[in-house]
Amino acid sequence: MSGLLALLDDVAAIAKMAAAQVDDIAAHAAKATGKSAGVVVDDAAVTPKYVTGIAAARELPMVGKIATGSIVSKLVILLPALLLLQAFAPWVIAPLLLLGGCYLCFEGAEKIWHWMLGHHETERDTEKPVSAAHLEEQRVKGAIKTDFILSAEIMTIALSTIEVDDLLTRAIVLAVVAVVFTVIVYGAVALLVKVDDIGLHMSQEASLKFLRSFGRGLVVAMPTVLNVISVVGTIAMLWVGGSIVEHSLHTLHVSWPHEATGWIVTSLIGDDAGGALTWIVTATVHAVFGFLLGSILIPVVTVLLMPIGVLFPEK
């Protein structure tokens, strides 16, 4: 009986340790998720454009292919690569974050300048007609390439927030973040691309007049909703990009952007402002900083880096 009781005590202790470990992983994953949320908004805003113009029956299969490519990128390529970098070259993490932040600032600023100058992307008339299957394959490859860049930024940000020394815990937290974000992003994308079909079905088949009207409203509202999501994604891109650049420079002992942000926020709202107001003003300052930095980077990218753009013909 004493042996059985000792065994039960050991089992209880193991269960308690396992529960504590799960709580620890959940806490780290939640923190990492919050830090990466802005990039995720951009990821969800960017992806629907890849299924525009595709037959309705192929929209969800395409989203499924892109989601599969995304989870493979995160778990098979990025997760082990980032863990190896942190283990053997941790000094690389801050420059990687800085580079990713600059990329987000560039993308956001480029979109805003295109909106302000009235530029619109158009299909080239000289392109040869392609089959639906080939177009789908091109779109999926392009989406996976873009997702890889955003996923790398998400995973790097997540890794930088995990303050534990245990390699297994870091790996599990990163895997949880990868799976959660993939499910959230592509679940939202799948819903967005099918809402108009759902609305059309309701407007034609629903037995109640109210539901038919609601369905027509969904169809009419979706272009506006997608435009709003695109705007929110762009603002989030600039906010996250500016914040990442500022904190990465501060980590690399370049402190003037961090000090300038603090001075501007204090000058605008004072030292005694509430936490919510402070966050809003700080995020706005980061977004403005991101836009200015991105605007500076546009000619640099155009002149120096555009020759390698053949690797990303869909951008």
Side-chain angles (χ1 to χ4, degrees):
M1 180 61 70
S2 61
L4 178 60
L5 291 175
L7 177 61
L8 292 175
D9 285 341
D10 291 341
V11 170
I14 293 173
K16 187 179 295 184
M17 290 176 59
Q21 187 73 7
V22 169
D23 288 343
D24 193 35
I25 290 171
H28 285 293
K31 182 179 179 182
T33 301
K35 290 288 185 179
S36 309
V39 188
V40 175
V41 172
D42 179 56
D43 203 358
V46 166
T47 305
K49 74 176 184 180
Y50 289 100
V51 298
T52 301
I54 299 295
R58 297 302 305 163
E59 288 176 343
L60 291 183
M62 276 188 67
V63 173
K65 289 180 181 179
I66 299 169
T68 300
S70 176
I71 200 67
V72 169
S73 296
K74 291 183 178 77
L75 296 181
V76 178
I77 301 174
L78 293 171
L79 191 152
L82 288 173
L83 290 177
L84 286 172
L85 281 176
Q86 190 176 57
F88 297 104
W91 54 270
V92 175
I93 301 298
L96 280 178
L97 282 170
L98 179 61
L99 183 63
C102 288
Y103 168 79
L104 293 175
C105 293
F106 164 78
E107 282 280 289
E110 188 182 42
K111 287 183 180 180
I112 288 180
W113 281 113
H114 277 203
W115 291 337
M116 290 194 298
L117 298 177
H119 293 171
H120 301 283
E121 295 180 359
T122 58
E123 295 292 332
R124 290 175 292 180
D125 296 334
T126 56
E127 288 184 343
K128 296 180 180 179
V130 295
S131 65
H134 185 60
L135 177 61
E136 180 177 324
E137 182 182 0
Q138 286 181 327
R139 293 280 187 90
V140 169
K141 287 181 178 179
I144 290 175
K145 287 179 183 178
T146 301
D147 177 271
F148 182 85
I149 297 172
L150 294 172
S151 294
E153 191 64 17
I154 290 170
M155 297 290 280
T156 306
I157 295 171
L159 181 63
S160 69
T161 65
I162 303 173
E163 300 173 350
V164 293
D165 297 326
D166 181 52
L167 178 62
L168 180 60
T169 301
R170 288 203 299 270
I172 293 174
V173 171
L174 278 180
V176 170
V177 170
V179 172
V180 167
F181 276 153
T182 303
V183 171
I184 290 174
V185 168
Y186 290 99
V189 169
L191 180 61
L192 285 172
V193 300
K194 298 307 291 184
V195 164
D196 54 349
D197 293 332
I198 295 171
L200 181 61
H201 178 77
M202 290 176 62
S203 67
Q204 295 174 343
E205 305 295 335
S207 57
L208 298 178
K209 182 179 179 180
F210 165 75
L211 293 178
R212 292 195 297 272
S213 298
F214 181 73
R216 288 192 294 271
L218 287 178
V219 174
V220 171
M222 277 314 297
T224 302
V225 171
L226 291 175
N227 286 333
V228 169
I229 291 173
S230 179
V231 171
V232 171
T234 300
I235 295 173
M237 220 191 305
L238 292 171
W239 154 50
V240 174
S243 176
I244 290 171
V245 169
E246 179 199 297
H247 287 94
S248 299
L249 288 174
H250 190 60
T251 302
L252 296 171
H253 307 293
V254 180
S255 299
W256 67 263
H258 179 75
E259 294 170 355
T261 297
W263 178 82
I264 292 172
V265 172
T266 301
S267 300
L268 291 174
I269 61 175
D271 294 323
D272 301 326
L277 180 60
T278 301
W279 183 88
I280 292 171
V281 174
T282 302
T284 303
V285 172
H286 284 155
V288 173
F289 172 65
F291 173 70
L292 295 176
L293 175 60
S295 300
I296 294 171
L297 289 174
I298 288 174
V300 176
V301 171
T302 302
V303 173
L304 300 179
L305 300 183
M306 201 57 75
I308 67 172
V310 292
L311 300 176
F312 302 93
E314 75 284 350
K315 295 292 289 177

